[in-house]
Amino acid sequence: MPAWIWALSWLGASLGFALVSGVLLLLITLAAAYPKLPDISAMTDYRPKQPLRIFTQDEVLIGEFGEEKRQFVPFAKIPKTMKQAVLAAEDANFYEHGGVDYRGLLRSVVTNVLTAQKAQGGSTISMQVARNIYLSAEKTYTRKIYEILLTYKLEHLLSKDQILEVYLNQIFLGNRAFGFAAASLTYFGKPLNKLTLAETAMLAGIPKAPSAYNPFRNPKRAKARQQYVIDRMLANGFITEKQAQEAKAQVLNFRSRNARNTNNVHGEYVAEMARLQVSEQFGDLTYTHGINVYTTLIAKEQEAAHRALQAGLLAYESRQPYRGPEAVIALPADKDERDQAIDEALNDAMDHSEVLAGVVVSVGKGVAKAITLDGEEVSLSAEDSPLAAQALAPRKSGQPLLKPGALVRLIPDAGNKLSLTQLPVVQGAVVGMNPRNGYVTALVGGFDYSQNKFNNATQAWRQPGSSFKPFVYSAALEKGLTPATVVNDAPISFTASQTGSDAWEPKNYDGTFDGPMTVRQAMAKSKNLVSVRVLQLAGPAFAQNWVSRFGFEPAKHPPYLTMALGAGSVTPLQMATGYAVFANGGSLIPPRFIQKISDTSGKVLYRPPVLDPDAIEQVIPYRNAFVISSLLNEVTHTGTAASAHRTLDRDDIYGKTGTTNDSVDAWFVGYHPNRVAAVWVGHSKPKNLGSRETGGGLSLPIWTQYMQTVLRDQPVLGYAVPPGLQQVNGDWVYSELGSKGSVKSLGLDSNPSR
């Protein structure tokens, strides 16, 4: 036998032996590995971790809590286009192979051998499901063997549709989003069934490398991947050439990467309130079992309250001195490094709703140019606003406050032109409530939740000032006071024993005294001296007990004459609840902010008791509430809140301004028969807001802007005259008092303290 034939025979035998040995070794490995595979029987009833979700009563998502953002969608409800896009991008032969694509796997092995790297590759959708749920992410051949075995086990247990359903709900897609339904909300702020083909293809391109193809972090690479997915969909016959071209040309509008909720409804403060309540009730299940909380908020009202408060606080800031940029960053000379430094600064700064962050890139005489996160160049002129004029005016050093690298805040005007502003250091709160059932329809606890998580609506105990006067007048009505009672607006003083503190000589806000006037006139003009005399009539102890009927804590309202000017402590939520008693005709209905709690199947886990009309507590007489409403209606027509009537142009609004001593707290609380709203503005650490800042100038515009939205579709309503009242000289008097029995005057003869 020739030597070369012998050599070939020997080589063939050796290769055969090696092949048989390799196969035997593989079989032994598989036999040893198979019993160690995890139990996957639970996959027949797939229940992924799902976060706690908080919604408005009209089912708009306002909060989500959990390690993983996930929204499980059954296979039948996942749009066909979404399924096709994923198949085109990840595994076009998914329905043909048995779980493992050997050709793709072989290509991956060859590539790994040639490159001497253990790169990921060759994985079908079934293999990805097996790996993502049951195996680690390490890149070893042993783990690959386990993955293959587990895939066969999975394919034997589940149908193809079931496997694809798990994949579409389980796969990680960046930004803590797991599954395509969650990713749709994360990146586009809308559900899967509302996505366009272009948006669907963008999402389908992410699983290959969630970091590399994240449209927030790498928009260019994400766009290129999207184009590839569209091409694959066309090649597989899922879409037409025309559809492909239209999808490639579509400009995508992404949800703000700083957004915390969908549809621009800023309900973070209520979402946190709901989270705390659910956590106390359900413990460890809160963040994994897909609990859904439906609050009493109404989406359009919540957003209106948020916008109104931000607008009011920013308007206040526009009247303050410019404090300078929030920071100054170094701007490298290299363009790419410079752009990266700007992007990092703007990402760290975050936008706050319509208040955008910007970095100044150049400063000239009276003009500066700034860049926003989306790359827009903004020109800031000293002529645009008082703040810009201050910021660009030369100082003693000869240089303005603004310089290249300055981090500034920008806000659009009515024409959408951006101008300079600054984040408020002042805070505020808005509470909207339905007085008929206690539902909190809007609640904003501060300028921006991401800036300050302290909930001023429920946690800030502040002096209510003159906004507390209606409760004192309500008490005095039961002691014979009438709207026509004449009271002397004249100086008065008290000893320390009378006030419970220091000697006191109260003043009116404007420092003047108007002499004798009716209670109706005094309420409209918010006369402090009249209010003190009204409280003297009621008696401080009686008034303290009376105000508790409205939900106020007696201990926070000591029985002294200072109560007449709102020297106690309240929260905005308490004030809304108290005014609701007047609005609904005398009943105290505790505020409620949760309608129901359910699981993912819709099963109700908790629902507050239904409000029984027969069990509602009537805490003050209807006629008392009617008379106070009559007085508060006068305030909005001719008094300190007359601008509300001019702006809203309706006769069925009622309310009272409030400004505390030294203008520390500014209030307006008012109502329509179907809605109550309380607005408070002040510093977190109490201090003067400014000598000319009042409840009428600060809080009332916020209330009015909010109510413009709330009352847009509301009919004009009035209150029916209750029994037990009669008109005397054009005003309301308790019937048993008549024209002779009413208190005719207070404080006209002498100073009661002397």
Side-chain angles (χ1 to χ4, degrees):
M1 177 183 295
W4 64 272
I5 294 177
W6 182 87
L8 285 176
S9 299
W10 181 86
L11 180 60
S14 298
L15 290 174
F17 178 77
L19 180 61
V20 171
S21 299
V23 171
L24 288 174
L25 181 61
L26 178 61
L27 291 174
I28 292 171
T29 302
L30 295 177
Y34 195 84
K36 299 178 182 179
L37 293 177
D39 180 16
I40 64 172
S41 59
M43 289 296 292
T44 57
D45 185 22
Y46 173 62
R47 294 181 182 273
K49 289 182 180 179
Q50 297 188 65
L52 168 69
R53 287 189 176 86
I54 318 294
F55 298 88
T56 64
Q57 64 171 280
D58 40 353
E59 301 188 3
V60 175
L61 181 67
I62 58 170
E64 196 171 35
F65 301 91
E67 294 180 4
E68 301 177 358
K69 296 179 183 177
R70 193 192 309 277
Q71 184 175 0
F72 178 77
V73 181
F75 187 76
K77 292 186 177 181
I78 299 173
K80 183 179 180 181
T81 307
M82 187 77 256
K83 300 171 188 174
Q84 292 174 332
V86 169
L87 292 174
E90 294 292 320
D91 190 357
N93 297 319
F94 173 72
Y95 281 95
E96 279 72 51
H97 60 63
V100 179
D101 183 352
Y102 290 104
R103 286 180 295 180
L105 187 62
L106 182 60
R107 284 195 301 271
S108 175
V109 171
V110 171
T111 300
N112 293 347
V113 171
L114 293 176
T115 60
Q117 295 179 348
K118 295 176 181 178
Q120 185 61 51
S123 293
T124 64
I125 284 177
S126 299
M127 294 170 72
Q128 290 182 58
V129 170
R131 177 176 68 246
N132 291 336
I133 296 181
Y134 293 105
L135 300 175
S136 68
E138 62 176 339
K139 298 176 181 179
T140 65
Y141 293 115
T142 301
R143 200 238 40 206
K144 198 70 176 181
I145 290 172
Y146 274 93
E147 183 181 313
I148 293 171
L149 289 174
L150 199 56
T151 298
Y152 281 128
K153 198 171 183 180
L154 195 66
E155 288 267 345
H156 177 72
L157 182 69
L158 303 178
S159 69
K160 286 287 189 179
D161 285 354
Q162 287 176 307
I163 294 172
L164 186 56
E165 177 187 68
V166 173
Y167 179 86
L168 294 170
N169 283 285
Q170 181 73 27
I171 196 70
F172 176 62
L173 294 159
N175 282 76
R176 290 178 51 232
F178 289 78
F180 286 92
S184 180
L185 292 174
T186 297
Y187 294 112
F188 296 109
K190 54 185 176 181
L192 275 178
N193 60 2
K194 299 295 184 182
L195 293 180
T196 65
L197 174 59
E199 292 166 340
T200 299
M202 176 65 77
L203 295 185
I206 298 176
K208 182 176 178 64
S211 178
Y213 298 124
N214 183 321
F216 284 169
R217 297 181 180 177
N218 296 299
K220 291 182 179 178
R221 295 185 69 179
K223 182 67 176 178
R225 177 67 177 167
Q226 177 223 34
Q227 303 281 299
Y228 166 79
V229 173
I230 293 172
D231 287 337
R232 295 306 306 154
M233 293 182 74
L234 177 62
N236 282 277
F238 294 143
I239 58 176
T240 65
E241 179 70 36
K242 180 181 179 182
Q243 288 175 311
Q245 294 305 318
E246 289 175 348
K248 287 184 175 183
Q250 182 184 334
V251 177
L252 301 183
N253 295 313
F254 294 101
R255 176 188 177 202
S256 168
R257 71 189 72 183
N258 296 322
R260 292 179 53 86
N261 46 52
T262 61
N263 294 341
N264 297 319
V265 176
H266 292 267
E268 296 94 337
Y269 290 98
V270 175
E272 176 61 13
M273 291 165 63
R275 183 194 70 81
L276 290 173
Q277 179 166 323
V278 173
S279 180
E280 291 177 1
Q281 191 168 348
F282 294 95
D284 294 340
L285 303 180
T286 300
Y287 308 108
T288 59
H289 277 54
I291 294 174
N292 295 321
V293 181
Y294 294 88
T295 68
T296 58
L297 298 185
I298 297 174
K300 71 173 184 178
E301 292 193 26
Q302 178 64 25
E303 183 54 21
H306 171 79
R307 288 182 179 276
L309 182 61
Q310 285 209 334
L313 298 185
L314 288 169
Y316 171 81
E317 282 296 338
S318 70
R319 300 190 290 272
Q320 309 308 306
Y322 185 61
R323 294 185 293 274
E326 294 178 26
V328 178
I329 66 169
L331 295 179
D334 180 79
K335 183 180 183 304
D336 290 340
E337 293 180 2
R338 175 175 168 273
D339 290 345
Q340 183 176 351
I342 291 173
D343 284 347
E344 288 177 356
L346 294 177
N347 271 309
D348 290 342
M350 294 183 62
D351 295 337
H352 296 272
S353 299
E354 292 188 336
V355 183
L356 309 180
V359 171
V360 174
V361 293
S362 67
V363 179
K365 188 175 181 180
V367 177
K369 293 189 182 298
I371 297 292
T372 64
L373 190 59
D374 61 5
E376 180 182 356
E377 186 175 270
V378 181
S379 179
L380 304 174
S381 169
E383 299 175 356
D384 291 341
S385 68
L387 288 180
Q390 296 175 49
L392 291 167
R395 296 175 293 164
K396 291 182 179 180
S397 64
Q399 299 298 318
L401 280 169
L402 294 188
K403 54 184 165 181
L407 179 66
V408 297
R409 294 291 170 175
L410 310 167
I411 188 169
D413 60 17
N416 216 33
K417 182 183 184 300
L418 292 172
S419 60
L420 186 69
T421 187
Q422 55 189 351
L423 288 180
V425 294
V426 70
Q427 281 296 335
V430 178
V431 178
M433 181 186 295
N434 184 332
R436 309 293 179 181
N437 56 19
Y439 278 9
V440 175
T441 56
L443 187 149
V444 185
F447 175 78
D448 192 292
Y449 184 80
S450 62
Q451 179 195 37
N452 188 345
K453 294 175 173 56
F454 183 81
N455 190 341
N456 291 288
T458 61
Q459 297 174 298
W461 290 92
R462 310 295 293 230
Q463 289 190 347
S466 294
S467 64
F468 200 73
K469 289 176 181 177
F471 305 110
V472 173
Y473 280 59
S474 173
L477 288 180
E478 302 305 304
K479 294 292 187 175
L481 189 75
T482 78
T485 299
V486 177
V487 187
N488 198 7
D489 178 34
I492 189 171
S493 60
F494 301 95
T495 64
S497 62
Q498 289 175 300
T499 64
S501 180
D502 300 324
W504 181 44
E505 188 172 343
K507 305 287 185 182
N508 288 321
Y509 174 78
D510 58 7
T512 65
F513 306 98
D514 291 344
M517 62 175 58
T518 67
V519 164
R520 179 173 294 279
Q521 293 170 324
M523 178 73 90
K525 295 181 178 182
S526 195
K527 290 294 184 177
N528 290 341
L529 280 303
V530 172
S531 298
V532 172
R533 288 185 165 97
V534 166
L535 180 56
Q536 283 185 310
L537 169 66
F542 177 80
Q544 180 193 40
N545 178 266
W546 186 263
V547 301
S548 69
R549 296 169 178 243
F550 297 86
F552 299 111
E553 301 173 31
K556 293 188 180 294
H557 301 274
Y560 299 109
L561 291 173
T562 50
M563 186 196 308
L565 307 187
S569 296
V570 299
T571 68
L573 180 60
Q574 277 191 333
M575 289 296 281
T577 304
Y579 269 70
V581 174
F582 297 133
N584 67 32
S587 298
L588 177 63
I589 301 176
R592 298 194 288 177
F593 67 94
I594 290 181
Q595 270 194 319
K596 67 176 181 179
I597 301 174
S598 65
D599 62 16
T600 54
S601 68
K603 178 183 177 182
V604 176
L605 305 176
Y606 167 78
R607 192 190 301 272
V610 177
L611 195 64
D612 182 0
D614 295 330
I616 296 176
E617 185 180 5
Q618 185 84 17
V619 293
I620 65 172
Y622 179 24
R623 64 178 184 173
N624 185 299
F626 180 90
V627 172
I628 295 297
S629 289
S630 172
L631 295 175
L632 296 180
N633 188 247
E634 189 73 40
V635 175
T636 63
H637 276 69
T638 65
T640 56
S643 64
H645 181 261
R646 292 193 298 269
T647 302
L648 296 175
D649 190 26
R650 39 191 312 150
D651 294 327
D652 56 346
I653 52 174
Y654 313 79
K656 184 70 186 72
T657 54
T659 310
T660 61
N661 283 343
D662 298 323
S663 297
V664 171
D665 297 282
W667 292 83
F668 184 79
V669 191
Y671 56 93
H672 168 274
N674 287 338
R675 194 68 79 245
V676 178
V679 177
W680 165 82
V681 175
H683 290 282
S684 296
K685 293 183 177 179
K687 67 177 183 178
N688 186 276
L689 289 164
S691 60
R692 297 188 178 184
E693 302 293 351
T694 65
L698 264 176
S699 298
L700 179 58
I702 297 171
W703 184 90
T704 303
Q705 181 177 334
Y706 166 66
M707 293 297 272
Q708 280 180 314
T709 297
V710 174
L711 300 180
R712 188 168 294 143
D713 301 320
Q714 289 284 341
V716 175
L717 299 175
Y719 292 104
V721 179
L725 284 181
Q726 67 181 68
Q727 282 198 312
V728 177
N729 297 325
D731 222 326
W732 299 107
V733 176
Y734 282 9
S735 297
E736 64 270 24
L737 297 177
S739 59
K740 296 182 180 180
S742 63
V743 177
K744 294 182 179 180
S745 63
L746 291 174
L748 296 185
D749 299 326
S750 63
N751 187 333
S753 68
R754 294 174 182 168

